[in-house]
Amino acid sequence: MTEMSWLLIGYGSLLRRDDGVGQRIAAEVADWELPGVRSLPRHQLMPELAESLADVDLALFVDASLEGNEVRIEPLSADSEPTVMGHHLTPSSLLGMTQWLYERCPQAWLISIPGQEFGLGEGLSESVEEAMTQVLQQLREWFTAANPLVLDVHSGSLLLPSDLNPPHSVE
């Protein structure tokens, strides 16, 4: 089994309180400088990310959510319809663009962290701070696991942290 390469893309606005949690997580993971793991904090998803996605085996998108009250991870699939080049992409449309441009697309998951406060400001709410800590702990375990477990992408949404196995492929 060869070592898998990861790309984590955390996105959202740092000026809209909880909406910035994805970027904050991506920045923290980037500071870890783990082999095989690349982490990109971004304000929003842009077409330029397709090239980075084409170069990895596994991708994680991290974003704040307006719905729910638990951190969720959901498998993603590439949109099959051509994506209009623009400034509002979803993870699935970006994966579709990657497939279309590079004829290759990583396995991917979306980690959604429910936010409470999306008004102007820079800090995170207490509940999102706690969720961020849990997600970072889980990510470190996934990225450094000697024998990672397999996430069945066909099983639907899973909850963090106790019910979740790391997303990984078996060669």
Side-chain angles (χ1 to χ4, degrees):
M1 184 166 148
T2 60
E3 184 175 317
M4 304 300 280
S5 57
W6 296 78
L7 176 63
L8 184 141
I9 300 172
Y11 60 102
S13 174
L14 292 173
L15 299 176
R16 302 291 280 178
R17 306 229 356 138
D18 290 347
D19 192 46
V21 69
Q23 273 206 68
R24 292 175 191 275
I25 287 173
E28 177 76 21
V29 171
D31 287 346
W32 296 345
E33 298 181 358
L34 297 173
V37 178
R38 184 171 178 209
S39 186
L40 302 173
R42 295 292 186 261
H43 179 74
Q44 63 187 11
L45 300 177
M46 300 291 289
E48 294 82 3
L49 293 169
E51 183 177 6
S52 296
L53 285 164
D55 291 337
V56 298
D57 301 303
L58 304 160
L60 294 170
F61 293 84
V62 183
D63 190 22
S65 173
L66 294 169
E67 300 173 359
N69 54 12
E70 295 178 306
V71 175
R72 300 191 66 79
I73 181 168
E74 301 172 271
L76 295 170
S77 58
D79 282 350
S80 57
E81 295 297 315
T83 301
V84 176
M85 295 289 184
H87 292 285
H88 183 70
L89 294 174
T90 65
S92 291
S93 63
L94 185 56
L95 291 167
M97 182 182 299
T98 302
Q99 180 65 44
W100 181 71
L101 289 171
Y102 299 97
E103 298 180 357
R104 182 180 190 303
C105 186
Q107 285 188 295
W109 295 266
L110 172 63
I111 298 174
S112 299
I113 300 170
Q116 306 297 316
E117 300 174 24
F118 290 91
L120 291 176
E122 295 183 26
L124 298 175
S125 65
E126 186 177 325
S127 64
V128 171
E129 283 277 356
E130 291 172 12
M132 183 173 131
T133 299
Q134 290 178 335
V135 169
L136 286 167
Q137 179 181 0
Q138 187 68 59
L139 289 171
R140 187 177 288 275
E141 289 176 20
W142 289 347
F143 296 148
T144 60
N147 293 309
L149 301 173
V150 176
L151 171 64
D152 178 2
V153 296
H154 302 293
S155 66
S157 300
L158 298 171
L159 301 176
L160 274 176
S162 61
D163 295 336
L164 183 60
N165 294 327
H168 212 291
S169 293
V170 176
E171 297 276 324

